[in-house]
Amino acid sequence: SQTIHQWPATLVQPVGSPLSLECTVEGTSNPNLYWYRQAAGRGLQLLFYSVGIGQISSEVPQNLSASRPQDRQFILSSKKLLLSDSGFYLCAWSLGASLRQYFGPGTRLTVL
Amino acid sequence: TQLLEQSPQFLSIQEGENLTVYCNSSSVFSSLQWYRQEPGEGPVLLVTVVTGGEVKKLKRLTFQFGDARKDSSLHITAAQPGDTGLYLCAGDRSGANNLFFGTGTRLTVIP
């Protein structure tokens, strides 16, 4: 069966510090991978998606970046965090033409 | 601009009451999905509707896709505290590689 992991689960970082959030998927090959950010109790904002290794599409301009160094690994990064980067970050995967999303447990990021 | 607007944004009801959540857009979708999210967790898929006018039932939950495939509704009968959560609709536009998520409805069912 497929599983998706995210870490860390929670993170508190000072403004201006770097960020690296990792997402890995097990039990499937060549998934589509997604990074979302969610403000408290609200909908999901798509940040990046990837249909293959090294292929990244960015949905919104920001100081975040994403990379996919391996088929089932998706990394969200920043060189310098802003206060506005605080939020709940969710990674998700889907397979083939189906856009049904399977979400990870999320990372709660607080920038102080 | 948000492609999918959900209403109401917040809903607090007593156990046993009925409720309806709406998901509206001016765009046409190939399919529409509904997710429920518990605090501190990722959303989990409840249902996918793909045909205009389609109605799907999942126990006490009834989902309907609009005839023009621009809107959807979720009706819950005899709500229970376990129904509490954030409900998200998400649309699939033809040719897109990603879903468009709605603004969310936070439901609280009071025992």
Side-chain angles (χ1 to χ4, degrees):
Chain A
S1 63
Q2 301 90 358
T3 55
I4 178 169
H5 304 278
Q6 282 185 248
W7 64 90
T10 59
L11 191 59
V12 180
Q13 292 285 100
V15 169
S17 63
L19 173 74
S20 181
L21 301 182
E22 189 162 345
C23 171
T24 59
V25 180
E26 296 177 357
T28 187
S29 296
N30 198 30
N32 302 315
L33 295 171
Y34 308 84
W35 277 113
Y36 293 90
R37 178 168 57 207
Q38 185 176 32
R42 298 307 308 276
L44 306 179
Q45 179 188 33
L46 179 65
L47 301 175
F48 301 95
Y49 69 90
S50 171
V51 298
I53 296 174
Q55 300 178 61
I56 309 294
S57 296
S58 175
E59 289 297 301
V60 292
Q62 58 210 323
N63 71 322
L64 299 170
S65 62
S67 62
R68 185 171 177 174
Q70 299 180 45
D71 180 45
R72 289 168 291 176
Q73 184 185 29
F74 206 21
I75 298 172
L76 183 68
S77 304
S78 174
K79 293 182 179 178
K80 288 185 177 182
L81 284 168
L82 306 172
L83 286 174
S84 58
D85 291 324
S86 293
F88 191 50
Y89 288 82
L90 287 159
C91 180
W93 68 272
S94 68
L95 205 57
S98 169
L99 291 181
R100 172 183 177 166
Q101 312 255 302
Y102 298 85
F103 286 88
T107 295
R108 172 75 58 196
L109 171 65
T110 303
V111 182
L112 301 176
Chain B
T1 56
Q2 195 73 33
L3 206 56
L4 282 165
E5 294 286 342
Q6 288 184 236
S7 61
Q9 183 178 343
F10 299 97
L11 189 56
S12 182
I13 62 171
Q14 294 290 329
E15 182 177 359
E17 293 183 348
N18 302 332
L19 67 113
T20 302
V21 176
Y22 300 93
C23 174
N24 295 304
S25 177
S26 57
S27 300
V28 176
F29 294 96
S30 303
S31 67
L32 203 136
Q33 304 176 16
W34 283 92
Y35 292 78
R36 180 168 66 210
Q37 184 180 18
E38 305 286 345
E41 299 180 7
V44 175
L45 180 70
L46 296 174
V47 78
T48 302
V49 285
V50 296
T51 306
E54 180 178 4
V55 176
K56 279 192 174 179
K57 291 192 175 184
L58 188 65
K59 297 183 180 178
R60 295 174 293 100
L61 278 62
T62 302
F63 304 85
Q64 184 164 10
F65 201 10
D67 292 340
R69 289 186 288 129
K70 293 181 178 181
D71 53 80
S72 181
S73 63
L74 157 60
H75 183 79
I76 301 179
T77 303
Q80 299 178 1
D83 296 327
T84 293
L86 179 68
Y87 289 81
L88 296 161
C89 63
D92 163 18
R93 295 187 72 185
S94 179
N97 289 318
N98 54 276
L99 292 176
F100 296 87
F101 278 84
T103 48
T105 295
R106 169 73 63 187
L107 171 65
T108 303
V109 181
I110 303 166

